[in-house]
Amino acid sequence: MHGLKDLRVVDFTTRIAGPYATKLFVDAGADVVKIEPSGGDPLRRWSASGAALGDEDGALFRFLSAGKRSVVGTPDDPAVCALVDSADLVVEDFAAGTFDVDAVRSANPRAVVLSITPYGAKGPYVGRPWTEFILQAEGGSVALRGRPEQEPYQAGGRITEWVAGAFGAVGALAALHGARRTGRGEHVDLAMLDAINLSSTIFMDLLYRLMDLHEAAWPARTTETPSIEPTSDGWVGFNTNSAQQFADFLVMIERPDLDGQGLENVGTRTARFDEWQEAVRAWTTRHTTDEIVAIATALRIPVAPVNDGRSVLEHEHFVERGVFVEAPDGGFRHPRRPYSIGGERPPPTARAPRLGEHTASVEPRRALPAAGRESIRLPFEGLRVLDMTNWWAGPAGTQVFASLGADVIHLESARRPDGVRYTGGIVQGRIEEWWECSAFFLSADANKRDLCLDLSGPRGKDILERLVARCDLLVENYSPRVLDGFGLTWEYLQELNPRLSLVRMPAFGLDGPWRDNVGFAQTMDQISGLAWVTGHANDQPRIQRGPCDPLAGMNAAFASMVALAEREHTGRGTHVECPMVEGALNAAAEQVIEYTAYGNVLQRMGNRSPSAAPQGIYPCLGHAPELEQWLALSIADDEQWSALVDWLGAPAWATAPALLTHAGRRAAHDELDERLGAIFRERDLDETVAQLATAGVPAGRVWDSRRGSDHPQLVSRGFYEEVTHAVAGTHPTPTLPFRYASVDAWIRSPAPRLGEHNREVLRELAGLSDDEITALELDGVIANRPDGV
């Protein structure tokens, strides 16, 4: 596979987000040159479990940097400048405004520059001290998670950085696609705050606006149920996203008597939480995890064992599919690339470089690949995508193409509309066409057209074949047997259109013992280990609620763009397999890496972290259940601790010698929480956050996820765009977490109503007359309303 072998990437990044973004480029064949300071990337000395590294680079660094080349230098060094001037892509995560993006683009006008920063390039929060925990707090992620009587908690595993890296890679590769067509580069400005708000607040702001509850005063956080439940030998995870799944769940737990009591409604289960949980756990604790998985699978209820960094390696499906591979230089195992192209296993990468190993050998490229001079505004103008995905993961991936200019046709049927539409049922009784009011659909499907077509008969299949002949990509995320049932094999699609690429997003892949199992984001949290590191230390594992869907979407979008690049060399489309679970396993990679490298199983830590101490949330003045006032604090280094001590007025307890080191502060965390809690309890939240930020201390408000569109930084960046929908009304709608310098707004048209573009699409792409289309309407082959409502 040729893939991205033509691309040269210059990478200045540290931490996880930037290195993960550029790792995705390495895995697709790009030449990535990592520029490091003389002391090296700090990640070289990192182990989440605190393992002694000796002279060896940390295993996480080796995973993220495998296949890259290392050059020691700074952005001002002439040799580094020469590399930048001949690069296709430059990736940086310096503090906003300290890297001269304009100078890079002036010297190399066709280059794409990807900036990954906590808050983006502009806005009132730019320059504030930060950690991943502070971003989760400010982004609305923390506030959403937990029981109302508990303090809310973060999603574990530094998930913000993994999600941001995936979004950054997609934004950059799309811009590169545009640059190849036009000869004009781009600045991709990614804010990690935007990424965590989009991926971890499950559209709560838009949801509450649709329900006309935007001013709700009670705590935002909830816990899904059924979700992770105890078994006789461990933990098992469920989710029941559909009415049928919930009905089958009642049968499974031998409580059909509970049917008809309104428990299919999430609100009812929440109100009767203790009673409901007792009924569920009375059954689950009588069975082993394996027994429950087998029963639930037979009933097609989404289910998974709750794995950690050790047990995930032993899962039968991952073993049979060879998901975990040995590091190129040995010493640990890690998940493979989360997609395959053309049925080929991802090729092995070279080992991670030693510091400065290639300083003397990497040279600027003498001749750059030819670039076009097309007059397009967005990278994918002229591209057509047939979107046969549903829920959130698939639509999140195709949304990227729609936002960036492609004609994306979302295909549904009246008998089986996109399942996420049914989450619009929250407004049933208030809005007649309630299926048009799903917060997920309104966001993830903006800029698309919609065709509601029955594929069960020959007329529908004939129309589908005509569409396939006119498309560049077909993306679907059904279980594997569905596409096969329609007769849409890869071989048949190639006969219809040799330039078409088929992108398949099954939950668990196209082979293996779990091939036909049902899976959603919650399932991926549970099986991958992400849930294992989420939750309070003295509580059970908890799902993260959200990130695995957009992660899967971004992996599919990136793989789709690699397939388009491959077509430029071969003239033919390719078959892409992008299992949802393998994206989650990559985001959870650190757990497997720590276990196989150092023998340590990472555990959940509530709101604490191995990289910061003290770290937590503290109630401030006026805190009450109806108006929570949580302050988030995260001290990542000695300098920040010194700044906090100064702000406190240097009390004797804070100047103890043992607290001068990170290790000492971690050891004294309980005492520090007690001391700080007493101080913050008497302080105004906003005033305190502002003072701490000015003093150089990472602090923030635990922002209410229901009010995300009011966040000053998100407002300043224009992350939420005001959109008017014919049924749902006018609401601020979240967009993409990156901005292009050349694009003012992402949303050009609202999410489509069911079947809204039937006539338009059938005339334009299927060549049908108005009379023929009317006949299809009369016969129910096309529709604009779900069956049964």
Side-chain angles (χ1 to χ4, degrees), residues 4 345 361 458 778:
L4 305 182
R345 290 175 64 89
S361 59
L778 293 173

mmCIF file of all heavy atoms in Angstrom, residues 4 345 361 458 778:
data_model
loop_
_atom_site.group_PDB
_atom_site.id
_atom_site.type_symbol
_atom_site.label_atom_id
_atom_site.label_comp_id
_atom_site.label_asym_id
_atom_site.label_seq_id
_atom_site.Cartn_x
_atom_site.Cartn_y
_atom_site.Cartn_z
ATOM 1 N N LEU A 4 0.280 7.170 2.608
ATOM 2 C CA LEU A 4 0.748 8.550 2.757
ATOM 3 C C LEU A 4 2.258 8.661 2.608
ATOM 4 O O LEU A 4 2.880 9.560 3.176
ATOM 5 C CB LEU A 4 0.309 9.099 4.121
ATOM 6 C CG LEU A 4 -1.183 9.023 4.445
ATOM 7 C CD1 LEU A 4 -1.461 9.645 5.810
ATOM 8 C CD2 LEU A 4 -2.029 9.698 3.364
ATOM 9 N N ARG A 345 -3.116 -6.949 6.979
ATOM 10 C CA ARG A 345 -2.794 -6.585 8.351
ATOM 11 C C ARG A 345 -1.877 -5.366 8.332
ATOM 12 O O ARG A 345 -1.023 -5.231 7.448
ATOM 13 C CB ARG A 345 -2.078 -7.745 9.064
ATOM 14 C CG ARG A 345 -2.976 -8.940 9.351
ATOM 15 C CD ARG A 345 -2.160 -10.079 9.946
ATOM 16 N NE ARG A 345 -1.600 -9.730 11.236
ATOM 17 C CZ ARG A 345 -2.219 -9.921 12.401
ATOM 18 N NH1 ARG A 345 -3.420 -10.471 12.408
ATOM 19 N NH2 ARG A 345 -1.645 -9.603 13.529
ATOM 20 N N SER A 361 21.261 13.117 9.708
ATOM 21 C CA SER A 361 20.934 12.401 8.475
ATOM 22 C C SER A 361 19.658 12.873 7.785
ATOM 23 O O SER A 361 19.462 12.610 6.598
ATOM 24 C CB SER A 361 20.811 10.900 8.763
ATOM 25 O OG SER A 361 19.807 10.651 9.735
ATOM 26 N N PRO A 458 -36.682 -4.979 -4.748
ATOM 27 C CA PRO A 458 -35.814 -4.750 -5.913
ATOM 28 C C PRO A 458 -35.745 -3.297 -6.349
ATOM 29 O O PRO A 458 -34.712 -2.849 -6.851
ATOM 30 C CB PRO A 458 -36.447 -5.635 -7.002
ATOM 31 C CG PRO A 458 -37.855 -5.884 -6.549
ATOM 32 C CD PRO A 458 -37.803 -5.884 -5.062
ATOM 33 N N LEU A 778 -45.939 6.564 -3.345
ATOM 34 C CA LEU A 778 -47.223 5.895 -3.162
ATOM 35 C C LEU A 778 -47.046 4.445 -2.747
ATOM 36 O O LEU A 778 -47.851 3.893 -1.989
ATOM 37 C CB LEU A 778 -48.052 5.994 -4.445
ATOM 38 C CG LEU A 778 -48.516 7.403 -4.828
ATOM 39 C CD1 LEU A 778 -49.176 7.392 -6.208
ATOM 40 C CD2 LEU A 778 -49.483 7.952 -3.780
#
